Amino acid sequence: MKLDPKADYIKVHADWHKAGIPGKTFYEKALYEVNKGYAIVVAPDAIKLTVKLPPLKERVLKRDKYTCQYCGKYGDTIDHLIPQSVYKIFTTEEMAVCACKRCNQLKSDKPMHVFIKELMKERILEMIDKEL
């Protein structure tokens, strides 16, 4: 059985979810969860979660060992590689990284290539200051 991509939303069932009351999500997230093995399709407009995952933030921080992926310092926030504030898309673990508060605020909703260029410029200026 496959999910219906034209469904307004997909019902989400889980034994541990709010006393058996189904939640709802959108097609892309449901499809991702099924493809990852986190859920099974029970109807064209419904899935059942088979794995209780920790929140996205917790999974990303643990995966990246609480290390900012931009500067290498301690990080306790996550950065959406594709800014949620601009694009409003579903974020997976693969689309987020651990970031320190400073780097996360500096990146803000900038595209990745713009932010990386700014970081490189900052590091070059720091190296010049140390040499002089």
Side-chain angles (χ1 to χ4, degrees):
M1 186 177 320
K2 292 185 175 185
L3 289 172
D4 178 8
K6 294 179 183 157
D8 290 335
Y9 62 88
I10 305 295
K11 292 179 217 124
V12 180
H13 301 274
D15 295 336
W16 58 85
H17 188 271
K18 296 181 185 172
I21 300 168
K24 61 183 180 179
T25 190
F26 46 96
Y27 172 79
E28 291 81 6
K29 183 174 183 192
L31 185 62
Y32 173 81
E33 290 172 342
V34 168
N35 289 339
K36 280 290 209 173
Y38 303 153
I40 57 171
V41 178
V42 294
D45 68 341
I47 62 172
K48 179 172 179 155
L49 296 175
T50 56
V51 176
K52 186 174 183 179
L53 292 172
L56 175 69
K57 179 178 180 180
E58 189 177 321
R59 295 192 312 262
V60 171
L61 293 177
K62 191 179 253 185
R63 179 198 68 203
D64 292 346
K65 299 180 176 109
Y66 290 84
T67 303
C68 177
Q69 299 300 294
Y70 301 120
C71 70
K73 295 178 181 170
Y74 173 78
D76 60 358
T77 68
I78 65 168
D79 178 54
H80 297 86
L81 298 175
I82 300 170
Q84 292 266 291
S85 61
V86 178
Y87 297 102
K88 310 278 189 242
I89 63 170
F90 166 61
T91 299
T92 66
E93 295 103 298
E94 297 86 1
M95 297 166 62
V97 296
C98 177
C100 67
K101 285 187 175 93
R102 179 180 177 275
C103 287
N104 205 343
Q105 288 173 344
L106 283 173
K107 181 175 175 284
S108 184
D109 62 356
K110 297 173 192 148
M112 184 59 67
H113 70 281
V114 172
F115 177 61
I116 296 298
K117 191 186 291 186
E118 287 176 5
L119 272 184
M120 289 173 61
K121 183 178 177 181
E122 183 179 289
R123 288 194 180 143
I124 289 170
L125 291 173
E126 285 173 6
M127 285 174 32
I128 291 170
D129 282 344
K130 285 180 184 177
E131 294 294 320
L132 298 177

